[in-house]
Amino acid sequence: MTSEQNPAPEPVEDDAPRPGRLTAAAALAGLEGLALVVGGAYMLVAGLAGHPDNPEQAVTGGVTLIVLALLPLFAARGLLARKSWSRGPAIITQIMALPVAYTLLQADSMAIGAGIALAAVSIGALVLLVNRETTRALGIRTPGSSQ
């Protein structure tokens, strides 16, 4: 492959200030990761303490949530460090959160509030991640941009 077919990302100046939108996107991704860790730890402790109906399922769910939390946490760290690779996992995290938010909105309980909050955070983070300023700060070239 030639360099024209697979161009290298634009270099990012380290001394340039980080755009606020990039920082906000990293904060939202980190917040989602933190929420997954807290929820997973709660399920894990409840499963080990024997409070739920099915302790094995609670432990498995807790461990799964904690492992899933790694994706948004690594993405948030990469966004703060202005690594171009971090936008992909951050966007994937937001897209995966939207069906979860929809499911929470269908519930007849207090989960509706959590669904609204999750949908707002996910949509907000997606808007911040695809923003031109964020893309430029990460050194990602858009289609049709000049060499």
Side-chain angles (χ1 to χ4, degrees), residues 41-57:
Y42 175 78
M43 286 179 70
L44 187 61
V45 168
L48 293 174
H51 295 297
D53 295 334
N54 189 344
E56 294 84 14
Q57 188 175 11

Side-chain angles (χ1 to χ4, degrees), residues 48-128:
L48 293 174
H51 295 297
D53 295 334
N54 189 344
E56 294 84 14
Q57 188 175 11
V59 169
T60 302
V63 170
T64 301
L65 284 180
I66 292 171
V67 170
L68 284 175
L70 295 176
L71 183 65
L73 291 174
F74 284 138
R77 185 171 181 214
L79 289 170
L80 286 175
R82 298 170 94 175
K83 303 292 184 188
S84 61
W85 61 261
S86 62
R87 190 174 82 153
I91 288 175
I92 289 169
T93 300
Q94 306 316 316
I95 292 171
M96 287 174 26
L98 289 173
V100 175
Y102 179 77
T103 302
L104 291 172
L105 288 171
Q106 301 304 310
D108 284 335
S109 66
M110 293 176 55
I112 293 174
I116 292 170
L118 181 58
V121 168
S122 297
I123 292 169
L126 278 171
V127 168
L128 291 170

Side-chain angles (χ1 to χ4, degrees), residues 2-3 6 10 27 31 39 57 61 72 82 93 96 114 119-120 132 137 140:
T2 66
S3 62
N6 196 7
E10 294 176 5
L31 179 67
Q57 188 175 11
R82 298 170 94 175
T93 300
M96 287 174 26
R132 183 179 300 210
I140 299 170

